[in-house]
Amino acid sequence: MRILIAEDDSILADGLSRSLRYDGYAVDVVHDGSSADSALQLQTFDLLILDLGLPRLNGLAVLRKLRQRGTPLPVLILTAADSIEQRVEGLDLGADDYMSKPFALTELEARVRALIRRHGGGRASVLRHGRLQFDLNGRIATIDSVPIELSARETSLLEIFLSRSGRMISKHQLVDLLCEWGEEVTTNAIEVYIHRLRKKIEPADLHILTVRGLGYCLEPESRHQAADATAVD
């Protein structure tokens, strides 16, 4: 999951990005409305955390332009001003949630999870593949109910493969999905992450297949079922 934070307070933006990265999200940060508007046109995000008091282009203008383009991206507004008029204007322009500064970080994290879950169209909060389960809310993977120890990068990689089971994903697509602006992550590093993840999920009979020149895919669960049926026959 990729989040854009548009916040001109660099200390607050740094704290938010550190917390969300710790939870396994890829986070990009901009400090003015013009940069936010450009980023939203060039990159696909799963959530926008938007401060209203941005320089160059205020948050409401960023939100208005976003909705005029027909982008259904969930938006969580942050503001130091807690007036009813601003709340109404922001919600009428298409914001999905609203938080006034100062706020509790744990509450913001919960709202982020709720918005991403809601935007997913009611998709299940747990992804299952054979004996492995992945809790999207807690971001915990288990095999036969026993937790697997994964790094934040491995957790995000597992979520990508589970949500695209049986579909091919190139190395460059994985770089885009996993990495933030300014991160120098090579395709060789992606290979290392996949190697480590493979070793941790193989006890659940999950296999990440490599197709030379195309990329990777998580072997569909139906293939295991078909193999088991053949063995029984």
Side-chain angles (χ1 to χ4, degrees):
M1 292 292 177
R2 195 182 193 102
I3 296 174
L4 176 65
I5 297 175
E7 169 60 63
D8 65 331
D9 183 330
S10 58
I11 295 177
L12 176 57
D14 183 64
L16 290 176
S17 60
R18 285 175 183 271
S19 175
L20 293 170
R21 285 169 183 149
Y22 181 80
D23 287 338
Y25 300 105
V27 182
D28 298 310
V29 178
V30 293
H31 299 293
D32 65 80
S34 180
S35 298
D37 185 56
S38 297
L40 291 165
Q41 295 183 64
L42 296 172
Q43 179 72 53
T44 299
F45 296 95
D46 297 286
L47 176 70
L48 168 63
I49 298 177
L50 177 66
D51 177 37
L52 290 188
L54 295 172
R56 298 181 65 189
L57 191 67
N58 68 46
L60 290 176
V62 172
L63 178 58
R64 183 181 294 108
K65 290 164 72 71
L66 178 73
R67 295 310 187 216
Q68 285 174 346
R69 291 193 294 269
T71 306
L73 177 71
V75 177
L76 171 59
I77 284 181
L78 303 180
T79 182
D82 191 21
S83 70
I84 295 297
E85 292 77 12
Q86 274 200 319
R87 289 191 183 194
V88 170
E89 187 175 7
L91 293 170
D92 282 346
L93 284 174
D96 298 272
D97 202 354
Y98 211 110
M99 291 193 72
S100 298
K101 303 174 186 177
F103 51 81
L105 189 56
T106 52
E107 181 182 358
L108 180 135
E109 292 169 344
R111 290 184 185 231
V112 165
R113 292 192 296 270
L115 284 172
I116 290 177
R117 186 167 61 246
R118 190 186 312 159
H119 186 65
R123 68 172 179 165
S125 61
V126 176
L127 298 177
R128 294 180 173 83
H129 197 297
R131 294 159 51 208
L132 184 142
Q133 294 189 10
F134 182 74
D135 182 345
L136 291 167
N137 296 330
R139 299 184 64 74
I140 297 173
T142 60
I143 296 176
D144 298 332
S145 300
V146 178
I148 312 170
E149 187 174 338
L150 299 173
S151 67
R153 189 56 53 85
E154 292 164 355
T155 299
S156 297
L157 193 59
L158 177 61
E159 181 179 357
I160 291 169
F161 280 117
L162 287 173
S163 62
R164 295 166 174 80
S165 178
R167 293 162 52 190
M168 194 62 57
I169 311 171
S170 72
K171 290 181 184 177
H172 293 293
Q173 286 175 316
L174 289 172
V175 169
D176 288 340
L177 290 167
L178 287 171
C179 305
E180 304 158 10
W181 301 334
E183 265 193 303
E184 295 184 2
V185 178
T186 65
T187 54
N188 288 338
I190 295 295
E191 291 178 3
V192 172
Y193 296 137
I194 290 176
H195 173 72
R196 292 174 180 169
L197 180 61
R198 274 177 169 148
K199 292 175 67 176
K200 294 180 180 181
I201 66 174
E202 281 180 352
D205 296 324
L206 268 70
H207 303 283
I208 298 172
L209 308 178
T210 301
V211 180
R212 186 176 297 276
L214 293 177
Y216 306 92
C217 79
L218 180 64
E219 186 177 28
E221 191 173 2
S222 58
R223 288 186 59 174
H224 291 296
Q225 294 171 343
D228 291 343
T230 301
V232 170
D233 291 342

